[in-house]
Amino acid sequence: MEQVKTYIDQNKERFLEELFELIRIPSVSSSQIHKPDMLKTAKAVKEALINAGADKAEIHETAGHPVVYGEKVIDASKPTILVYGHYDVQPAEPLELWKSPPFEPEIREGKIYARGADDDKGQLFMHVKAFEFLVSSGKLPCNVKFMIEGEEEIGSPSLKQFCKENKELLKSDVILISDTTMISMDIPSITTGLRGLSYLQVEVTGPNRDLHSGLYGGAVANPVNVLSKMIAQLTDENNHITIPGFYDDVIEASDEERKEMAKAPFDLEAYEDALDIETVQGEKGYSTIERTGIRPSLDVCGIWGGFTGEGAKTVLPSKAYAKISMRLVPNQDSHKVDQLFEAYFKSIAPASVKVEVKSLHGGQGYVAPIDTAAYQAASKAVEATFGTKPVPFRSGGSIPIVADFEEVLGVKSILLGFGLESDAIHSPNENYPLENFYKGIETIPYFYKYFSEMP
Ligand code: BES
Ligand code: MN
Ligand code: MN
């Protein structure tokens, strides 16, 4: 396997050029305008799999954006790794905050800057190149399947159905995913938990039209004022979520587990400095790592209504809106949380407004056990290339489809991510250090090797 280093060295430039080709297609899954780009990207991924040595690769239409499936089956009696990734990306807006155009990848200070550089084109492409190395060097020790979807960033609305319809095709022993972060390059880690998600949109309606704020102000409920007050009531002074029943299914970590978590290296000051904040904020009684790793949270992702154009317009708006996300911990059910939210939100609305609550998407959290052969293989692989044994840690992010994989396919996932928190995924100037990209390509073949050698 040591040859992988030489292989990377000899092909470095080509790998980047190929990745850049993929990044240049603006595959923003949330927008209809990019529908043709989604198919274009799917075709490019399919080509990349074929060129890397897949026996077959095909595009599967779904109700939404297509899924790319590829495979190389060398021996039915050998284990099978199913690689999952997503070729869709988040919108690049606000564009004016990017130092270089989001879909024109550029290398600055050893990092690739572009939308999708990390999440998840950069990370999924490491798998394609690791696979290329294994095939071309005759070292592929097991069967491989690829399932690369185009709807992760919008909640994977079609993939569960795709899995249900293709159980046989997707039959595998482990699912391998690079779509998460590491603590740092000095403290390599493997993600052992993901949070679930409930994402809702609320609409508050006051009067049936926008009103003159002088003629009506003070006499008619302003939905923006009302919505702000309602949102303020969703958490209390301890930053505890106030929705009745919300914490019912949250499993409290034991003192033992919390002690274990506290051992994970975390520099609060560096964290605050990196974000330019005086101090962190969160649920009373929990550390920062616990607040994202084992506790649920509630955030307003967007809020709008009334006049937001240039200058001043004196208006009492008819409507106000907000998009609200709740990150859930394993064992909390996102449908149940949707219902609890709606009931509470309506109950705190004054009679002067009408309230509508719409669920946009959601999913369950995930816990990856560490006492499995697959985790041991991942741990050994990281140790082989980083020189240190990785620490298991729970991430605050979500990949809701991972819980569905377990439910539908009955297969556990390994979250072998090589991103860093500083990669600014979903933000302007998303980036992926070249070091991480190449380190990922180097590490993945070791996972194949160790996983295939497991009894
Ligand atoms: N790759 C991320 C999730 C992630 C990032 C997990 C870093 C752990 C560490 C994924 O593409 C993502 O953005 N997921 C969404 C959820 C989805 C339903 C929109 C998220 O977490 O907001
Ligand atoms: Mn992702
Ligand atoms: Mn993402």
Side-chain angles (χ1 to χ4, degrees):
M1 280 305 151
E2 299 74 44
Q3 278 128 287
V4 64
K5 265 187 137 155
T6 324
Y7 190 76
I8 294 169
D9 258 353
Q10 287 165 349
N11 295 281
K12 266 189 157 145
E13 299 301 317
R14 177 173 61 85
F15 288 178
L16 278 189
E17 245 337 290
E18 291 174 4
L19 170 61
F20 285 11
E21 283 299 316
L22 206 60
I23 289 176
R24 288 190 187 109
I25 317 171
S27 48
V28 180
S29 48
S30 61
S31 130
Q32 272 308 312
I33 304 168
H34 291 292
K35 188 103 189 147
D37 292 319
M38 301 311 289
L39 184 59
K40 209 170 148 190
T41 315
K43 283 182 178 159
V45 171
K46 176 188 145 179
E47 282 308 308
L49 290 173
I50 294 286
N51 293 341
D55 293 334
K56 71 167 188 187
E58 50 202 27
I59 291 179
H60 289 253
E61 292 301 331
T62 69
H65 302 307
V67 174
V68 184
Y69 173 82
E71 65 174 35
K72 185 165 184 74
V73 175
I74 55 168
D75 180 346
S77 69
K78 295 210 159 123
T80 301
I81 296 174
L82 173 61
V83 175
Y84 163 81
H86 63 94
Y87 67 80
D88 66 322
V89 298
Q90 288 273 330
E93 283 77 11
L95 298 179
E96 66 278 11
L97 295 182
W98 286 79
K99 283 205 193 95
S100 52
F103 298 106
E104 292 171 27
E106 192 176 288
I107 296 171
R108 296 196 300 271
E109 285 137 23
K111 296 170 182 175
I112 309 164
Y113 281 86
R115 172 58 84 234
D118 162 336
D119 187 12
D120 183 39
K121 285 175 177 168
Q123 295 218 54
L124 85 82
F125 206 67
M126 299 178 322
H127 283 274
V128 180
K129 294 298 110 177
F131 170 65
E132 178 189 299
F133 160 73
L134 287 165
V135 175
S136 68
S137 63
K139 288 187 190 311
L140 185 67
C142 61
N143 307 308
V144 201
K145 297 178 174 178
F146 289 89
M147 172 169 57
I148 314 295
E149 72 154 321
E151 299 190 306
E152 196 278 337
E153 299 292 6
I154 52 171
S156 305
S158 314
L159 200 61
K160 191 172 184 183
Q161 188 59 30
F162 178 81
C163 289
K164 281 184 184 163
E165 287 165 6
N166 293 283
K167 277 191 198 167
E168 201 45 45
L169 187 70
L170 300 171
K171 209 164 173 278
S172 57
D173 299 287
V174 70
I175 299 172
L176 183 61
I177 306 174
S178 294
D179 194 22
T180 51
T181 55
M182 282 199 166
I183 296 175
S184 74
M185 288 309 265
D186 302 327
I187 309 160
S189 54
I190 294 175
T191 303
T192 51
L194 292 166
R195 287 200 283 186
L197 182 65
S198 273
Y199 198 115
L200 305 116
Q201 180 165 321
V202 299
E203 177 182 322
V204 177
T205 307
N208 59 4
R209 59 185 167 88
D210 285 4
L211 303 174
H212 187 287
S213 65
L215 290 178
Y216 292 93
V220 175
N222 179 324
V224 180
N225 296 25
V226 171
L227 175 58
S228 309
K229 269 195 189 160
M230 290 170 72
I231 288 170
Q233 288 172 64
L234 294 173
T235 47
D236 67 15
E237 66 281 7
N238 295 322
N239 295 307
H240 206 71
I241 295 159
T242 49
I243 300 166
F246 182 84
Y247 289 97
D248 283 2
D249 299 326
V250 174
I251 300 169
E252 286 289 335
S254 65
D255 288 346
E256 192 65 31
E257 281 171 278
R258 293 182 71 180
K259 252 192 222 146
E260 223 19 70
M261 279 190 84
K263 284 188 197 153
F266 178 74
D267 183 342
L268 184 59
E269 213 171 309
Y271 184 84
E272 290 166 342
D273 285 349
L275 301 177
D276 226 336
I277 51 173
E278 206 35 55
T279 177
V280 292
Q281 183 203 279
E283 190 182 358
K284 196 175 169 187
Y286 295 92
S287 70
T288 298
I289 292 191
E290 289 173 339
R291 285 168 181 167
T292 58
I294 57 166
R295 300 297 294 171
S297 59
L298 183 152
D299 280 284
V300 178
C301 296
I303 180 165
W304 71 103
F307 180 69
T308 55
E310 195 188 339
K313 175 185 173 190
T314 49
V315 65
L316 191 163
S318 163
K319 285 181 185 289
Y321 305 83
K323 292 189 192 273
I324 295 171
S325 92
M326 285 169 280
R327 296 288 168 165
L328 313 176
V329 291
N331 200 50
Q332 273 184 300
D333 179 80
S334 80
H335 297 293
K336 185 173 165 192
V337 168
D338 285 350
Q339 285 164 8
L340 292 174
F341 177 93
E342 179 167 356
Y344 178 61
F345 202 68
K346 288 189 166 160
S347 80
I348 58 174
S352 51
V353 297
K354 298 180 196 76
V355 170
E356 260 182 62
V357 177
K358 220 171 34 186
S359 166
L360 297 186
H361 60 61
Q364 311 305 119
Y366 184 72
V367 196
I370 61 170
D371 57 355
T372 61
Y375 184 87
Q376 290 316 315
S379 179
K380 278 175 72 180
V382 170
E383 192 170 354
T385 57
F386 284 76
T388 353
K389 195 173 164 182
V391 285
F393 91 111
R394 294 227 205 159
S395 171
S398 309
I399 312 175
I401 196 68
V402 174
D404 296 331
F405 289 157
E406 181 163 19
E407 184 198 319
V408 178
L409 303 173
V411 184
K412 290 256 179 205
S413 295
I414 288 290
L415 300 158
L416 189 61
F418 295 90
L420 297 175
E421 273 182 13
S422 54
D423 292 354
I425 61 170
H426 296 203
S427 301
N429 305 307
E430 173 177 352
N431 63 85
Y432 195 38
L434 291 171
E435 187 188 358
N436 297 52
F437 177 63
Y438 295 126
K439 212 58 177 171
I441 302 175
E442 190 188 331
T443 306
I444 293 163
Y446 283 94
F447 176 80
Y448 278 64
K449 172 177 151 71
Y450 294 133
F451 184 70
S452 303
E453 286 169 4
M454 293 280 167

